[in-house]
Amino acid sequence: MSRSHLIVYPIGGVEEIGSNCTAYYFQNNLILIDLGMSMYSLDDLTPYQLSYLDLNKFISKFVDEIENCYCIITHCHDDHIGGLKLLNKEIIENSLANFNIKIFVCSEFNKEIINSKYGELNSEIIVVNYEQRTNIGDNICFSFYAVDHSIPDASSVYLEFNTLNKYPLTIFHTGDWRYDEDVIAIGDTENIISSSKNIDSKSLQTFVKLRNKCDILVGESTNITRYSNYCNESMVAKELERIFTTCSSTEILFTCFASNVFRLKTVINICMKLGLRLGYLGKSLSVFINTAHRVGIFSNEEFAHCVAYKNIDQLLSDNAKVKMITGCQNEQSSILNRLVYGNKLNGKYTVIFSSNVIPVVRKRVENLYKQMERMNVHVITTDTHPNIHSSGHATRKEILSMYDIIQPHVSIPVHGNVVTVREHAKIIAKRFKIKTLRPK
């Protein structure tokens, strides 16, 4: 194989939601962008079954050639980092234990979350600042660029490969992203670009910086079938404050993805503003709340306003108006699952689900809704109150806007199921007349 030959190989995240991982192989260097996991449900009460990527199929093709292995993490959602704990096992089984795998993240927050979730990995975790060009190998460098998403310190990755050509081959791997402001409402692309410095959107700032500097765009497809239904965190805050103010229930149980630190911060600030006592319970909530406080995302005042419960009995006996708990996807070990199936709830509670449902577990979550209705619990979801959640993924109009700004030469859709990846490829090929490579 030619030493200048670049292989782009989407290992996961192109047939179902989850297990996101794209491999780049160049001059005996293996680069993995993200290494996630997925989950599926057997029934309402048993734990979710976790599914991990089998790297053997890919690594075995180059087992005698690989000299260095790098893993670049865009952000700390489980569908992007869940497979890290198996990374060393996969490498060792492929007889590549003679070198250390280096893991790159863009912040201390990401490093702490990985260590909190999986303990100390055998691999070195290196923090690289945004837009800092970092060499990996003689002819490869990468940079993190900031994007808006539903978790702190999310990033895209800009890769530069020095091939035999005069100029380097450049790849922009978007990661998960959205616009934090309603960029589409500004108008056409030229107006968006000229206004970009005054718009509070990390994604937009990144796209403008990389305009006409990208040969290949490897982009997420999650919400490509959604035309537009814009809602940002400030709109969510207004809706949640309205609900908290008007809710007649004795107590509000609030659940969202624990990783959505911005949403937790929103709830904390609403409770502080309204003078409402606030508590929380759940292992993953503790991980993200404590980490966010340590790295300065939560102020001391915000952190102090949250009462950490030790167990369910303490949660039930405390008279706080709002209680944040785990369980928005009806995970078997979550606090909400144990409250509902342990018959601990009744008509004095309102439960707010400030999240979308992962498609593969929809039936399980809907069964949880039905069980709570039988208990006379008032349930609020995005079906009836769409503005209680803002998706972390770009809609079709936002994705088209990104392509219009960056102007890549080739598109490789990833991060979605078969339908969304195919739709992404079809729309971009038709709209921009550029070469589109769809993973098979």
Side-chain angles (χ1 to χ4, degrees):
M1 181 181 296
S2 170
R3 285 179 58 80
S4 64
H5 192 70
L6 170 66
I7 296 174
V8 182
Y9 192 102
I11 298 176
V14 290
E15 293 184 343
E16 64 178 358
I17 301 299
S19 295
N20 295 289
C21 178
T22 301
Y24 298 86
Y25 185 73
F26 183 68
Q27 294 185 354
N28 306 106
N29 294 284
L30 174 62
I31 303 167
L32 301 173
I33 294 191
D34 293 327
L35 187 57
M37 68 178 185
S38 56
M39 64 183 186
Y40 60 94
S41 175
L42 296 177
D43 56 47
D44 292 353
L45 297 176
T46 57
Y48 283 120
Q49 303 300 301
L50 303 180
S51 175
Y52 297 93
L53 290 169
D54 181 7
L55 296 180
N56 290 328
K57 185 177 179 181
F58 179 77
I59 293 177
S60 61
K61 298 176 184 292
F62 311 101
V63 68
D64 296 325
E65 302 175 17
I66 297 175
E67 296 175 0
N68 301 293
C69 181
Y70 309 95
C71 189
I72 303 174
I73 299 299
T74 60
H75 65 283
C76 283
H77 280 147
D78 285 342
D79 61 328
H80 291 259
I81 65 169
L84 282 178
K85 64 181 179 181
L86 298 184
L87 180 59
N88 290 90
K89 175 177 177 290
E90 294 274 10
I91 297 298
I92 290 171
E93 288 181 353
N94 282 279
S95 302
L96 296 175
N98 59 328
F99 61 87
N100 291 323
I101 305 158
K102 293 183 178 179
I103 300 172
F104 294 97
V105 296
C106 70
S107 71
E108 289 294 335
F109 173 81
N110 288 323
K111 183 176 180 178
E112 285 207 28
I113 290 297
I114 291 171
N115 285 332
S116 296
K117 278 177 165 284
Y118 308 120
E120 294 296 330
L121 298 171
N122 293 331
S123 303
E124 180 184 8
I125 302 179
I126 302 168
V127 177
V128 176
N129 295 329
Y130 286 126
E131 300 183 38
Q132 175 184 326
R133 294 178 80 244
T134 302
N135 292 314
I136 46 176
D138 295 333
N139 293 300
I140 310 169
C141 74
F142 81 92
S143 307
F144 284 118
Y145 278 83
V147 289
D148 309 313
H149 191 41
S150 55
I151 190 171
D153 299 342
S155 66
S156 54
V157 180
Y158 186 66
L159 295 153
E160 300 171 74
F161 298 92
N162 290 319
T163 63
L164 295 179
N165 298 321
K166 183 178 179 180
Y167 300 103
L169 176 69
T170 57
I171 296 179
F172 180 56
H173 189 107
T174 68
D176 292 4
W177 70 277
R178 67 180 179 195
Y179 286 138
D180 267 355
E181 297 295 334
D182 194 358
V183 171
I184 305 303
I186 296 171
D188 61 33
T189 300
E190 293 306 318
N191 283 334
I192 290 173
I193 292 172
S194 62
S195 306
S196 60
K197 291 183 179 179
N198 300 318
I199 299 172
D200 186 18
S201 169
K202 295 186 286 290
S203 297
L204 178 59
Q205 308 294 340
T206 287
F207 301 160
V208 172
K209 288 174 184 176
L210 296 179
R211 181 172 171 81
N212 296 319
K213 296 179 181 178
C214 171
D215 294 314
I216 301 173
L217 191 152
V218 181
E220 77 142 316
S221 311
T222 309
N223 275 348
I224 191 71
T225 55
R226 285 183 57 190
Y227 284 83
S228 182
N229 183 21
Y230 188 76
C231 177
N232 63 19
E233 200 61 33
S234 63
M235 296 166 69
V236 172
K238 290 179 181 179
E239 179 68 357
L240 290 178
E241 182 175 341
R242 184 191 68 77
I243 293 172
F244 285 13
T245 303
T246 59
C247 181
S248 60
S249 298
T250 305
E251 293 184 16
I252 298 171
L253 300 179
F254 179 91
T255 184
C256 67
F257 288 105
S259 59
N260 197 336
V261 172
F262 304 122
R263 189 67 42 76
L264 304 179
K265 188 180 179 77
T266 293
V267 172
I268 294 169
N269 280 284
I270 291 172
C271 289
M272 292 171 65
K273 177 182 178 180
L274 299 179
L276 302 176
R277 290 190 67 244
L278 172 67
Y280 72 91
L281 180 62
K283 182 178 178 180
S284 57
L285 275 173
S286 295
V287 168
F288 280 96
I289 288 173
N290 284 292
T291 302
H293 178 237
R294 283 196 301 272
V295 302
I297 297 173
F298 286 172
S299 68
N300 290 335
E301 184 181 12
E302 289 168 335
F303 182 71
H305 196 76
C306 303
V307 177
Y309 300 125
K310 295 180 180 179
N311 51 50
I312 284 180
D313 288 340
Q314 188 178 12
L315 177 145
L316 291 171
S317 62
D318 187 60
N319 64 354
K321 175 71 174 182
V322 181
K323 297 170 181 178
M324 299 187 296
I325 58 174
T326 54
C328 66
Q329 305 301 306
N330 193 13
E331 301 90 339
Q332 185 269 343
S333 60
S334 69
I335 301 304
L336 183 56
N337 180 281
R338 290 157 61 188
L339 288 171
V340 172
Y341 293 104
N343 291 313
K344 303 290 187 181
L345 301 184
N346 52 46
K348 78 172 187 177
Y349 291 98
T350 287
V351 179
I352 300 174
F353 287 81
S354 185
S355 59
N356 288 329
V357 180
I358 299 172
V360 295
V361 300
R362 178 169 296 281
K363 183 177 179 181
R364 177 175 173 138
V365 175
E366 288 175 349
N367 287 341
L368 184 72
Y369 297 162
K370 294 175 183 177
Q371 183 65 19
M372 285 189 288
E373 288 171 0
R374 296 186 190 104
M375 304 166 77
N376 294 318
V377 175
H378 182 211
V379 179
I380 295 177
T381 72
T382 55
D383 292 335
T384 56
H385 296 71
N387 281 3
I388 61 172
H389 176 62
S390 172
S391 173
H393 301 277
T395 62
R396 177 179 298 199
K397 287 187 177 181
E398 291 171 320
I399 291 172
L400 291 174
S401 164
M402 173 188 64
Y403 278 93
D404 244 342
I405 294 169
I406 295 178
Q407 296 287 309
H409 304 303
V410 177
S411 169
I412 302 178
V414 295
H415 196 311
N417 57 32
V418 174
V419 173
T420 57
V421 169
R422 183 187 296 120
E423 185 73 3
H424 186 162
K426 183 177 72 173
I427 290 170
I428 298 307
K430 181 178 180 180
R431 170 73 177 265
F432 297 99
K433 310 299 182 186
I434 64 175
K435 188 173 183 179
T436 303
L437 305 176
R438 182 164 62 87
K440 297 180 180 179

